[in-house]
């Protein structure tokens, strides 16, 4: 399953100006907050979390909250996603791949989810 999200980075800049760290904690954990270098980084993290929820087919809500996933970085700085036990078990997730890119005033997040079984198999004819 694949999800994608696009955000104008100025939206995140305004959120930070208005609410500061408290605004970021609405969708980030304290560990993730330590990885934020600028509003553009925060926008990329938002895009990844939105893209993940779209790949699940739920969106952000009662089935999947922003705090059911956490972004961390590899030793080389690549973003990775860890998931709550609830999400892994409920959706039978085996693996997740993420990518974040920025271009000008936009950040894009793409997520691919591999599940153990899927009802979204290609239909035969």
């Amino acid at each position: 399953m694949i999800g994608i999200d696009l955000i104008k980075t100025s939206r995140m800049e305004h959120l930070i100006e208005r609410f500061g760290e408290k605004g970021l904690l609405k969708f980030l954990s304290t560990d993730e907050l330590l990885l934020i270098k600028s509003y553009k980084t925060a926008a990329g993290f938002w895009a990844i979390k939105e893209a993940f929820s779209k790949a699940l087919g739920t969106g952000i809500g009662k089935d999947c909250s922003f705090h059911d996933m956490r972004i961390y970085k590899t030793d080389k700085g690549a973003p990775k996603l860890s998931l709550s036990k609830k999400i892994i078990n409920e959706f039978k997730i085996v693996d997740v791949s993420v990518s974040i890119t920025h271009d000008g005033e936009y950040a894009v997040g793409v997520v691919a989810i591999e599940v153990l079984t899927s009802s979204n198999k290609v239909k035969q004819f």
Side-chain angles (χ1 to χ4, degrees):
M1 299 179 290
I2 298 172
I4 187 168
D5 191 66
L6 170 76
I7 180 173
K8 192 166 186 179
T9 57
S10 60
R11 282 183 53 209
M12 193 57 59
E13 184 178 28
H14 295 140
L15 179 137
I16 293 168
E17 287 171 356
R18 186 167 181 199
F19 300 106
E21 189 174 291
K22 189 175 180 179
L24 292 173
L25 288 172
K26 293 286 185 184
F27 71 97
L28 297 174
S29 70
T30 53
D31 288 340
E32 290 170 312
L33 198 58
L34 297 173
L35 300 174
I36 300 300
K37 297 177 183 169
S38 72
Y39 67 93
K40 290 184 178 190
T41 306
F45 280 25
W46 174 278
I48 282 299
K49 290 188 174 200
E50 285 283 348
F52 177 81
S53 73
K54 290 174 183 179
L56 280 184
T58 64
I60 297 294
K62 73 175 185 78
D63 293 326
C64 177
S65 79
F66 283 119
H67 295 285
D68 279 320
M69 58 198 109
R70 291 194 182 152
I71 298 166
Y72 66 97
K73 299 242 179 152
T74 66
D75 292 339
K76 294 185 179 188
K80 300 288 271 181
L81 202 55
S82 62
L83 306 171
S84 69
K85 186 176 184 177
K86 173 191 119 178
I87 293 294
I88 291 170
N89 292 337
E90 187 173 330
F91 294 95
K92 298 176 176 59
I93 297 172
V94 176
D95 198 11
V96 178
S97 298
V98 304
S99 182
I100 302 171
T101 190
H102 297 84
D103 188 14
E105 282 302 306
Y106 294 92
V108 177
V110 178
V111 174
I113 300 173
E114 181 183 343
V115 295
L116 191 56
T117 59
S118 176
S119 60
N120 298 330
K121 298 281 185 194
V122 175
K123 292 183 180 181
Q124 283 185 272
F125 62 90

